[in-house]
Amino acid sequence: MSSSDRVRVRGLSIYRPIIYGNTAVALTQKERDSLTSPDHTHRWTVAVRSAASPPNSDQVGGADDLSYFIKRVTFKLHDTYPSPTRNIDKPPFEVTETGWGEFEIIIRITFIQEAAEKTMTLLHHLKLHPWTVSGEPEIPPLEVALKAGPVHSWQYDEIVFNDPFQNFLNLLTAHPPTPLPKAKRKPIPFHLANPGSFEESKGGTPEFHAGMISEEAERLDDARKKIIAETERLRNELIQKEAELEKSKKLLADGA
Ligand code: SLL
């Protein structure tokens, strides 16, 4: 390491796209019976991965090995699990378990020493049961869950490094992330909230793609327009009600 390596490159930001979340599958009755804890209903995997998915694979994300900048990922599971703090020091940064309940998982990312960065903490709600129309949790019967296939809950994020040290920057630029595909390449997975989609979505696996950025921007824009329209409507209603109030007050004063 030369002395210039320990210099921060001021004003520069560099980021790496990641995803974190889980995939869960319902266990068949036979699988349940073979477990040491027969009350467990699902097998799940919680992970931190690169955002791009490997080609021709059912895995969500994980095209790139992130160990060039991540040293350790700690998954803090529910206390009902033995040794609930799981330190993963080499890729894949994931934990696979069986269980019966959903809970919050604390995910801590420790960067390599050269990064000179603080640990990053993320929170993920372990999702076992299919997404529903109402958004209310609903536990479907086993046959329905088995037919529906894996449940996915993944969050995209970008880890931003500001004013990185020169040697860390060199390391990052030596490992450019696999770019996200421009558009959707795979059918979306089956969703209880979209039951019509079962046939067409067979084998569907979520995949993050660049188009999602503009889709999200559109959703935000629509929401913003709705809020403006609603604010306007409420403002008019308020003006009208105030006028009515004035009128009633006047009537009352005149009558008195
Ligand atoms: C619930 N608040 O009540 C949650 C807790 C805990 C889940 C869920 C495994 C336990 C074991 C397991 O699924 N814990 O190791 O047997 O829904």
Side-chain angles (χ1 to χ4, degrees), residues 37 39-40 44 78-82 97-104 126 128:
S37 314
D39 57 330
H40 288 192
W44 50 260
H78 194 266
D79 286 334
T80 46
Y81 282 93
E97 269 292 354
T98 59
W100 52 262
E102 298 185 345
F103 56 91
E104 301 300 320
L126 177 72
L128 302 183

Side-chain angles (χ1 to χ4, degrees), residues 7 20 39 44 48 55 82 86 103 179 194 196 201 210 214 219 226 254:
V7 170
Y20 59 95
D39 57 330
W44 50 260
V48 173
R86 308 287 174 90
F103 56 91
N194 185 15
S201 68
S214 51
R219 273 195 295 275
K226 271 193 197 127
D254 289 352

Side-chain angles (χ1 to χ4, degrees), residues 95-225:
V95 168
T96 298
E97 269 292 354
T98 59
W100 52 262
E102 298 185 345
F103 56 91
E104 301 300 320
I105 299 180
I106 303 167
I107 303 173
R108 277 200 197 87
I109 301 178
T110 309
F111 299 103
I112 57 163
Q113 206 188 333
E114 292 88 322
E117 288 281 342
K118 286 199 201 84
T119 302
M120 184 178 175
T121 304
L122 305 167
L123 194 64
H124 174 68
H125 178 83
L126 177 72
K127 189 150 176 62
L128 302 183
H129 307 300
W131 300 90
T132 56
V133 186
S134 63
E136 289 303 313
E138 209 177 283
I139 302 182
L142 180 58
E143 325 81 71
V144 177
L146 288 173
K147 186 166 178 255
V151 168
H152 296 281
S153 178
W154 295 93
Q155 177 69 47
Y156 174 91
D157 208 342
E158 288 171 355
I159 304 182
V160 182
F161 302 102
N162 296 313
D163 305 331
F165 280 95
Q166 184 65 61
N167 60 332
F168 185 54
L169 177 62
N170 295 346
L171 209 110
L172 290 176
T173 50
H175 295 86
T178 299
L180 296 181
K182 287 208 167 53
K184 189 158 76 79
R185 294 190 295 196
K186 295 174 187 174
I188 56 158
F190 174 70
H191 225 266
L192 280 192
N194 185 15
S197 71
F198 186 60
E199 281 310 313
E200 72 214 51
S201 68
K202 248 187 188 155
T205 304
E207 180 180 41
F208 287 84
H209 59 84
M212 290 165 108
I213 297 169
S214 51
E215 284 169 17
E216 180 79 356
E218 272 168 37
R219 273 195 295 275
L220 285 171
D221 207 45
D222 283 351
R224 210 171 284 127
K225 282 183 190 144

